[in-house]
Amino acid sequence: MSKIVPDYVIILAAGKGSRMRSESCPKVCFKVNDIPAINRALQTYTDCGIPQAVAVVGTLAEKVMETVTPEFPNTLYAFQTEQKGTANAIRCALSAMKNVPDDAVLLMVAGDRIIDKDTLEELFELYGSENTSLALLTSKCSEKSSQGRIVIDGNGKALGIVE
């Protein structure tokens, strides 16, 4: 089997961005080299051939939509009214996505992460060649990071998530 390009990318962009210390700008809208992080990420997903993006928004939803829509008008929005974690955000996205086939391939990403195109294409290639139902891309972080952790065994297999 060859590279499988996802049918949809679900971008988790409902967070408050407390670590950014801004009451008016969600962290996905902060600029990286003069381009909002979420737009930079959306361009990468577009360049990879993913036809549809769904952004899960919540806190400061209007700001995210004002940032994204002019450059990516095809983006759909799902609203997460209460911050109940990642699984709830994905439920919100799926409930907003109409007529998604059961065999659709989904890429779920944090809205404040920028992943380069080559890395994503390598992930898609691995997913297509391994005949698996899930591929998980992780990165190392510092011990002081407040991010969740993926617990892996000695063979690199995911065992669980610790928040």
Side-chain angles (χ1 to χ4, degrees):
M1 192 169 242
S2 61
K3 177 172 78 170
I4 295 178
V5 177
D7 302 299
Y8 300 87
V9 58
I10 297 173
I11 303 164
L12 306 178
K16 294 178 182 175
S18 304
R19 287 177 284 208
M20 302 303 281
R21 296 190 176 110
S22 174
E23 297 286 324
S24 61
C25 185
K27 70 179 161 184
V28 298
C29 294
F30 273 83
K31 293 183 177 182
V32 177
N33 289 337
D34 295 323
I35 299 172
I38 192 167
N39 286 4
R40 185 175 289 281
L42 278 162
Q43 187 60 59
T44 300
Y45 308 136
T46 299
D47 291 348
C48 286
I50 301 173
Q52 183 63 65
V54 179
V56 179
V57 295
T59 303
L60 300 172
E62 299 82 16
K63 178 70 173 170
V64 175
M65 294 167 73
E66 289 170 4
T67 300
V68 170
T69 303
E71 298 213 22
F72 300 94
N74 190 37
T75 302
L76 301 176
Y77 298 95
F79 294 88
Q80 184 182 26
T81 55
E82 294 181 71
Q83 300 291 297
K84 292 184 177 180
T86 301
N88 178 260
I90 292 170
R91 269 192 292 280
C92 292
L94 294 175
S95 69
M97 298 166 67
K98 305 296 182 207
N99 304 317
V100 175
D102 289 340
D103 63 348
V105 177
L106 308 175
L107 173 66
M108 289 168 259
V109 296
D112 61 337
R113 297 292 184 258
I114 298 172
I115 307 167
D116 69 69
K117 182 181 177 204
D118 291 341
T119 300
L120 286 172
E121 290 186 339
E122 187 176 332
L123 176 68
F124 304 158
E125 185 74 39
L126 182 64
Y127 175 73
S129 67
E130 291 293 319
N131 191 28
T132 184
S133 59
L134 175 71
L136 185 63
L137 179 64
T138 64
S139 64
K140 292 186 179 191
C141 60
S142 74
E143 289 183 29
K144 295 180 182 181
S145 172
S146 62
Q147 296 177 349
R149 303 283 199 277
I150 304 295
V151 180
I152 58 172
D153 68 14
N155 296 319
K157 302 263 185 202
L159 299 174
I161 299 174
V162 177
E163 294 284 343

